[in-house]
Amino acid sequence: MAKGTKEKTMYQDSPKDGKKCIDCLHFLPETNECKIVEGSISPDGWCVLYFKDARKK
């Protein structure tokens, strides 16, 4: 599956409404990458594909 671009996913390097990549199901903290968005991803970033990981508090 191809990853979406930061532009198409409206990625930003800052949180939105308290939501950030570090808490997202798609974020890979060991490499600061995302399963579905291209490029290096900030743990404090956010995009429209954000989905809260239920395993995280």
Side-chain angles (χ1 to χ4, degrees):
M1 181 173 121
K3 292 185 178 187
T5 65
K6 289 181 177 181
E7 293 78 21
K8 287 185 179 178
T9 60
M10 299 174 64
Y11 172 81
Q12 59 190 44
D13 285 327
S14 57
K16 181 171 183 179
D17 301 325
K19 298 174 184 174
K20 48 187 165 178
C21 295
I22 192 76
D23 299 322
C24 182
L25 179 67
H26 307 297
F27 185 67
L28 303 169
E30 53 280 347
T31 57
N32 281 348
E33 292 180 287
C34 178
K35 296 175 188 174
I36 57 177
V37 179
E38 297 175 337
S40 181
I41 303 296
S42 169
D44 292 322
W46 174 90
C47 86
V48 296
L49 300 175
Y50 172 86
F51 188 82
K52 172 78 173 150
D53 187 341
R55 297 170 291 182
K56 298 179 181 176
K57 58 178 188 166

